[in-house]
Amino acid sequence: MRGRWDIGTDIGGTFTDIIAVRPDGGETRIAKVPSRPAEPVRAMLEALAAVGLSAADVRRFVHGTTRVTNALVEERLPKVALVATEGFEDVLEIGRYRRRELYRLDVPPKAPPLVPAILCFGLRERLDHTGKVLRPLDGAELDRLAAWLKGSGVESVAVSLLHAYANPVHERMVAERLREVVPHLCVSHEVNPEAREYERASSTAFNAAAMPIAVEYLTELEGRLPIGAGLQVFHSAGAMVPVPAAKRRPLVMAASGPAAGVSASARLARELGRDRVLTFDMGGTTTDVCLVVDGQAEMTDTRMIGGRPMRQPMLAVHSIGAGGGSIVRLGPGGLSVGPESAGSEPGPACYGRGGTKATITDANAVLGYLDPEARLGDTIQLDIGAARRVVAPVGEALGMGVEQAALGILRVANAAMARALRRVTVERGVDGRDCALLAFGGGGPMHAAGLAEMYGLREVIVPAASSAFSALGCLTADFSFLQQRTVRLALAGLDAAGFAARVEEMEAEARGPLIANGVEPEGIAMEHVALMRYAAQSEATPVPFALPLDPAVLEADFHARHRQLYGYATNEPCVIEGLRVQARKPSTVALARPDVGRPARPSRVRDCVFPGLGKVSTVILPRETLSGAVAGPAIIEDAWSTTVVPPGWRARGDAMRNLFLTGSDA
C-alpha cells in the first residue's frame, strides 16, 4: 500500500492534528501530537509516524497552518523594503485615521508601520487611475533603485506603485530588474490588484515579510515529503493551492487552519440539510467562529493583523484568544482568560509538563470532564492534582472553593466565546438563535452545550472526528485558486465585449496554478462574483453572476442582496467595483465514517461538577458504542475528544458517528 494514503494535517498552537485516509479501502486513522513551533515540519513528520505511516506511504498531503499568521502577529519578521511611487513612500506610516482605542490616550492611535521610513524608497514614475502613463519609468531610475537595495541589506522587497492595479507595466519592469538583486520580491498587482492604496501596500508588505519564512518552510517540507504536486497547502479562502503558488503569495496561508475547519463545516451543513450553522472551533490557543448560510461560509476581503490591514478574499473567521491553553488571570477588572496561552510547552498544568498557571483545560480537569486516566495524543498523562493546585489560588483570591473557581473560569470563557458568536451574527443582522452550533477542535465539544445555553441556541452538532475536523477539512476541500481585481465599470451601458475580455484574462490567471499541477483544464469549474456598489458608496457587496452576463439580472440580484444585508435598496446607478474569479477542481473525497478510536474502558460512572448542582454522578460513554439517545448528565468520549452533555440536555448519534445535542426546551 505504498504511496496510497491521503493525509490532512492542521498545525495548531498546542497540537498538530492528522487524519489519514486510504481512498481505495475507506480506512481512516487519526492522531494528535504536540506542536513544535520552532520545528513545524518535524511535528508533521511525527504526526505521520503517529498514524503508522512514512513519507513513502503518502500520495497526497494537504495541510493548514498558523505559522504565517503567528509570525505576522508576533512580528518575528525579516527586514523588508517598500518601493512606492515618489511622494507616496509614507503610505504605511500615514495609514488610516482610525484609532485603535478611541477613549484610551495611553494607547498609540495606530500600529507602527511594518516597514520603517528608512527602508521606504520613492520611485520616479506615475500613472493615473485609469492606468495611463503620466511619467515613464526609465532604466536610470531602476539602476538607482537597485543600488539602494544592495546597500540596504534587506532580503525581501514589496513593490506597490500608485494605480498599478489598473496597469502593472511599471511594476513588471521593477520586478524584471530586481529579480537578481534580492532573494524575495513581490508586487502589488499580483498580491492585491485593487484600489485602496494603503490596504494594497500593507498587504504587499505583509506578503513580502512572510515570503522568506514561507519559502524556507515549504522548501524543507518539499524535501522531506517529495511527492510533487501531491503536496498542497490550504488557504484562507477555503480551498487548496499548490505549493509554488503559496511560495509566491504566502499571505494565502494566513488563518488557513481555521479556514479548513469552516470548509468541512460548510460541506457537512449541506449534507445534513442545515440552512444556518455557526462553526465553533476551540483549539489549544484560540477559538474561531464563522457563519455558514445555505451551505456557504461567509467571506470577507479584509482582516486586521497586529493592527494593520491584510486585504485578500478569505473566509470570514473571527478569532479570539480563548483556547484550552489560555491562561487565567485575576486583575483589577476581575477574572479573565487569554489571550496568552500556555501552548504545548509547558502546556496546562494538568499535562504534567511543568505548567504553573491555571488554564481553561485545568478548569475542565478539576470539574471531572476529562478522564484522569486518559493519555492525550498517546503521550500526555493527565495530572488532576496539578490542575487543582493551580486553580486553588484563583478560588482563594475570589473567596470560593476550587470547583466553584473552575466553574467561574468556564463561565468567563463561554461569555468571551458568546461575544465572538455575536460578532458574526448580530453585528451582521443575523439572528444567531436560528442557527445550529457545529462544535469541533480539542475543546469545542466540552464547551458547546454551555455556550449554546448562554447564547440561546437549540442544537449542537459534534461531527465525527471532531478533534481533527480541520485536518479533515484539508482533505475534503476543493483544489482552487482565486483572483480578484478592481475594474470600476458602470453597469449602465456596460461594454459587454470589454467585460468578457477582462473575465477571460482573470480566468486564465486563476486556472494557471491548477494546470501547472496536473489538473486537466476540462475538469476545472469557474465561479464568478461581481463586487458591486451604488455609485456614491465606498464598500462593495459580492454578487455571483453567470456567463454570458445579463446586466439586468445582475442589477436585480445586487438590489436583492443589498436589501437582504442592509434592509433597503435604491434606484441609484450601480457600479461593478471589482471582479472575483475562482478556478475550482471539485473534491472527490467523501466525508466517510471515520474511525474515532476505541477507548480503553467501557461505560462507567464518574463524579462531575455542574453549575447549580455541585457534584453529580455522571455516566461516561464510549462514542464508538453509542446507540440511541442519552440523557444528561453524561460524557461521551472517544480516543481524541470529550463531549459534555449537561443535565437537561440529550444526545444522539447517527450512522456517520455525528452527535446531535438538544436542550430540554428544544
Side-chain angles (χ1 to χ4, degrees):
M1 301 308 300
R2 308 290 277 181
R4 299 297 299 275
W5 289 83
D6 291 347
I7 310 294
T9 62
D10 174 36
I11 305 175
T14 305
F15 285 103
T16 293
D17 303 332
I18 185 168
I19 184 164
V21 177
R22 201 180 73 204
D24 57 349
E27 181 184 354
T28 62
R29 301 178 187 178
I30 303 173
K32 297 174 81 74
V33 299
S35 292
R36 296 182 179 272
E39 300 177 284
V41 175
R42 179 181 172 187
M44 280 193 284
L45 294 177
E46 289 175 346
L48 196 58
V51 291
L53 301 175
S54 67
D57 299 312
V58 179
R59 182 187 73 165
R60 189 165 67 101
F61 190 99
V62 188
H63 79 291
T65 175
T66 57
R67 182 167 176 79
V68 168
T69 306
N70 292 343
L72 295 175
V73 170
E74 298 167 13
E75 301 197 5
R76 296 179 285 102
L77 302 168
K79 287 203 313 182
V80 178
L82 173 68
V83 178
T85 300
E86 187 176 61
F88 295 84
E89 304 95 320
D90 51 5
V91 58
L92 296 181
E93 186 168 2
I94 294 174
R96 295 291 183 193
Y97 69 90
R98 305 181 187 94
R99 294 184 62 94
R100 289 190 290 177
E101 296 282 349
L102 187 59
Y103 299 110
R104 290 189 59 187
L105 300 182
D106 60 319
V107 175
K110 54 190 174 185
L114 188 63
V115 182
I118 195 172
L119 292 178
C120 296
F121 183 91
L123 202 59
R124 297 184 190 123
E125 63 83 41
R126 191 65 182 267
L127 306 176
D128 69 9
H129 70 285
T130 68
K132 179 183 177 182
V133 177
L134 301 179
R135 181 174 186 172
L137 177 61
D138 58 32
E141 190 67 3
L142 291 173
D143 291 340
R144 185 172 73 92
L145 169 61
W148 178 81
L149 283 173
K150 288 177 180 178
S152 68
V154 300
E155 58 177 311
S156 190
V157 177
V159 182
S160 184
L161 302 180
L162 197 64
H163 302 307
Y165 61 89
N167 183 357
V169 59
H170 287 176
E171 284 196 349
R172 287 172 177 162
M173 291 172 64
V174 172
E176 183 64 27
R177 179 66 178 83
L178 299 184
R179 206 173 303 280
E180 305 300 326
V181 176
V182 291
H184 304 288
L185 174 74
C186 60
V187 288
S188 72
H189 73 271
E190 293 180 355
V191 175
N192 179 227
E194 297 181 275
R196 293 182 173 83
E197 177 197 1
Y198 169 52
E199 286 78 6
R200 180 163 50 91
S202 177
S203 300
T204 307
F206 268 138
N207 196 77
M211 193 173 284
I213 299 168
V215 169
E216 179 184 5
Y217 162 63
L218 293 173
T219 299
E220 180 186 357
L221 187 58
E222 286 177 309
R224 303 291 291 273
L225 282 171
I227 56 175
L231 182 60
Q232 297 154 7
V233 177
F234 204 86
H235 71 67
S236 53
M240 296 173 288
V241 294
V243 168
K247 284 184 177 181
R248 292 194 304 273
R249 289 173 56 184
L251 214 56
V252 302
M253 297 166 61
S256 66
V262 172
S263 176
S265 299
R267 182 164 175 176
L268 182 60
R270 293 192 296 269
E271 295 190 358
L272 294 177
R274 297 301 193 276
D275 294 334
R276 291 188 175 187
V277 166
L278 281 167
T279 70
F280 171 47
D281 178 6
M282 183 179 176
T285 305
T286 63
T287 289
D288 307 296
V289 299
C290 187
L291 176 64
V292 177
V293 178
D294 296 330
Q296 297 295 324
E298 294 285 291
M299 296 281 290
T300 184
D301 288 324
T302 305
R303 178 173 179 155
M304 302 298 289
I305 295 184
R308 307 179 187 95
M310 178 187 75
R311 187 168 175 84
Q312 65 178 9
M314 65 193 90
L315 296 182
V317 179
H318 179 63
S319 302
I320 61 171
S326 293
I327 294 172
V328 178
R329 299 192 183 280
L330 277 172
L335 187 69
S336 64
V337 294
E340 298 85 5
S341 173
S344 57
E345 294 292 342
C350 64
Y351 285 4
R353 294 186 166 190
T356 59
K357 298 178 180 178
T359 67
I360 296 175
T361 296
D362 292 315
N364 281 302
V366 167
L367 297 174
Y369 301 160
L370 295 174
D371 184 357
E373 299 183 23
R375 294 183 66 86
L376 301 181
D378 285 335
T379 58
I380 298 174
Q381 179 67 55
L382 290 179
D383 185 344
I384 307 300
R388 296 184 66 88
R389 286 192 294 273
V390 295
V391 174
V394 177
E396 292 173 3
L398 296 173
M400 58 180 63
V402 63
E403 285 88 2
Q404 290 302 311
L407 287 171
I409 291 170
L410 261 59
R411 185 169 182 82
V412 170
N414 288 345
M417 297 168 193
R419 287 194 296 272
L421 293 180
R422 293 187 186 98
R423 288 289 301 273
V424 300
T425 53
V426 175
E427 295 185 16
R428 297 184 189 175
V430 175
D431 188 348
R433 294 171 298 181
D434 295 335
C435 301
L437 186 68
L438 203 156
F440 53 97
M446 277 194 294
H447 287 253
L451 175 60
E453 280 188 343
M454 181 175 288
Y455 189 79
L457 300 171
R458 294 181 295 238
E459 182 184 37
V460 171
I461 303 171
V462 180
S466 58
S467 186
F469 200 57
S470 291
L472 180 63
C474 288
L475 278 184
T476 58
D478 297 339
F479 193 33
S480 81
F481 200 74
L482 185 149
Q483 287 289 87
Q484 180 169 310
R485 67 173 55 171
T486 295
V487 294
R488 287 178 176 157
L489 300 172
L491 193 59
L494 183 69
D495 176 7
F499 179 84
R502 286 176 181 262
V503 173
E504 288 178 8
E505 181 182 353
M506 293 180 66
E507 285 182 342
E509 293 173 353
R511 284 195 197 97
L514 274 63
I515 295 173
N517 276 262
V519 178
E520 295 295 332
E522 56 271 17
I524 299 175
M526 304 301 302
E527 297 176 2
H528 309 87
V529 173
L531 305 175
M532 298 189 65
R533 59 177 173 82
Y534 292 117
Q537 283 182 315
S538 59
E539 295 295 327
T541 299
V543 182
F545 66 90
L547 294 177
L549 179 69
D550 185 332
V553 172
L554 180 60
E555 182 175 13
D557 289 346
F558 168 62
H559 289 316
R561 180 61 175 156
H562 198 278
R563 186 176 292 106
Q564 181 185 31
L565 289 175
Y566 305 111
Y568 73 96
T570 75
N571 293 321
E572 298 173 65
C574 302
V575 174
I576 302 177
E577 175 70 14
L579 289 174
R580 181 186 299 163
V581 174
Q582 187 163 19
R584 185 183 297 274
K585 171 65 169 64
S587 172
T588 57
V589 178
L591 281 173
R593 172 178 166 136
D595 181 3
V596 295
R598 300 179 183 275
R601 293 183 293 158
S603 302
R604 57 200 184 280
V605 173
R606 183 168 71 236
D607 283 344
C608 298
V609 181
F610 292 95
L613 298 176
K615 287 187 178 180
V616 179
S617 182
T618 303
V619 62
I620 315 298
L621 299 169
R623 185 170 183 167
E624 181 73 20
T625 59
L626 182 67
S627 61
V630 176
I635 289 179
I636 301 171
E637 296 179 340
D638 60 49
W640 310 107
S641 66
T642 299
T643 301
V644 175
V645 186
W649 284 73
R650 296 179 65 84
R652 64 175 179 85
D654 67 4
M656 297 294 291
R657 296 199 182 100
N658 300 307
L659 295 178
F660 300 85
L661 279 63
T662 52
S664 56
D665 59 345

